[in-house]
């Protein structure tokens, strides 16, 4: 999805990003073709993948700066031009950034998992998170994307331990 984002997909006034296209690599079935795959711009695969996401103020400001530098709203965010960022190239750049920062390599998709987990830790309800991620239902979000940390588990247990709703025997009092 990120490779398909254009500046025009961000409403700088309302601060809402609209996901309406994606860039994918597909297999070429023509045996005479020069390459085995090709990159295409397409609509997201499901209706729930087509979504609107509110952005924090710092990202809106950054997007406005980058759009001004690009000089056109139909430019792609990752390239600043009308050329699409090739997913493989973008992935290699991402890995190089991780290495330069002294971080272990991991997939770009791992950022979605981290985002989902942090949202839950911050108290985001599952339905909201499911819609932010573009999932068709909450079950997918909770089963595949949310990975509670020991820190968040400990925080829940500590909050429970301090609740006034517990009797002296440790049994919840209605």
């Amino acid at each position: 999805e990120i490779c398909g984002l254009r500046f025009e997909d961000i409403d700088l006034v309302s601060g809402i990003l609209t996901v309406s296209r994606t860039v994918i690599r597909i297999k070429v079935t023509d045996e005479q073709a020069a390459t085995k795959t090709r990159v295409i711009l397409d609509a997201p695969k499901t209706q729930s993948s087509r979504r609107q996401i509110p952005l924090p103020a710092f990202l809106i400001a950054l997007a406005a700066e980058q759009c001004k530098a690009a000089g056109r709203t139909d430019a792609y965010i990752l390239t600043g031009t009308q050329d699409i960022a090739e997913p493989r190239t973008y992935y290699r750049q991402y890995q190089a950034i991780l290495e330069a920062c002294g971080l272990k390599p991991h997939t770009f998709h791992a950022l979605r998992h981290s985002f989902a987990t942090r949202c839950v830790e911050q108290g985001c309800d599952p339905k909201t998170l499911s819609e932010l991620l573009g999932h068709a239902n909450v079950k997918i979000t909770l089963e595949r994307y949310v990975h509670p940390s020991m820190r968040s588990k400990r925080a829940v247990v500590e909050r429970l331990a301090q609740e006034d709703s517990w009797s002296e025997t440790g049994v919840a009092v209605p």
Side-chain angles (χ1 to χ4, degrees), residues 93-146:
Q93 291 170 340
Y94 170 67
Q95 292 302 319
I97 291 168
L98 291 175
E99 184 178 345
C101 292
L103 299 172
K104 294 179 182 177
H106 55 77
T107 65
F108 192 75
H109 198 76
L111 295 176
R112 283 177 61 89
H113 289 264
S114 296
F115 175 79
T117 300
R118 297 305 168 262
C119 283
V120 169
E121 289 176 352
Q122 293 299 314
C124 181
D125 67 275
K127 181 63 178 167
T128 297
L129 179 57
S130 180
E131 289 185 12
L132 286 171
L133 294 173
H135 293 155
N137 61 61
V138 175
K139 184 179 177 185
I140 292 170
T141 305
L142 294 176
E143 287 182 355
R144 296 184 188 166
Y145 284 84
V146 179

Side-chain angles (χ1 to χ4, degrees), residues 22-84:
T22 186
V23 176
I24 57 173
R25 180 173 288 283
I26 61 168
K27 185 176 182 177
V28 175
T29 56
D30 179 5
E31 293 181 15
Q32 304 301 319
T35 60
K36 294 180 182 181
T37 62
R38 67 182 172 106
V39 174
I40 63 165
L41 186 65
D42 201 2
K45 59 185 174 183
T46 66
Q47 186 60 39
S48 54
S49 295
R50 296 172 190 96
R51 62 199 185 280
Q52 293 185 318
I53 303 170
L55 296 177
F58 83 93
L59 282 181
I60 297 165
L62 182 61
E65 274 180 41
Q66 295 300 312
C67 182
K68 185 177 179 181
R72 54 188 318 149
T73 60
D74 62 346
Y76 288 92
I77 291 174
L78 293 181
T79 63
T81 69
Q82 289 186 290
D83 296 326
I84 297 171

Side-chain angles (χ1 to χ4, degrees), residues 165-167 169-174:
S165 63
W166 294 92
S167 72
T169 62
V171 177
V173 178

Side-chain angles (χ1 to χ4, degrees), residues 11 21 85 124:
D11 183 328
R21 72 186 74 76
C124 181

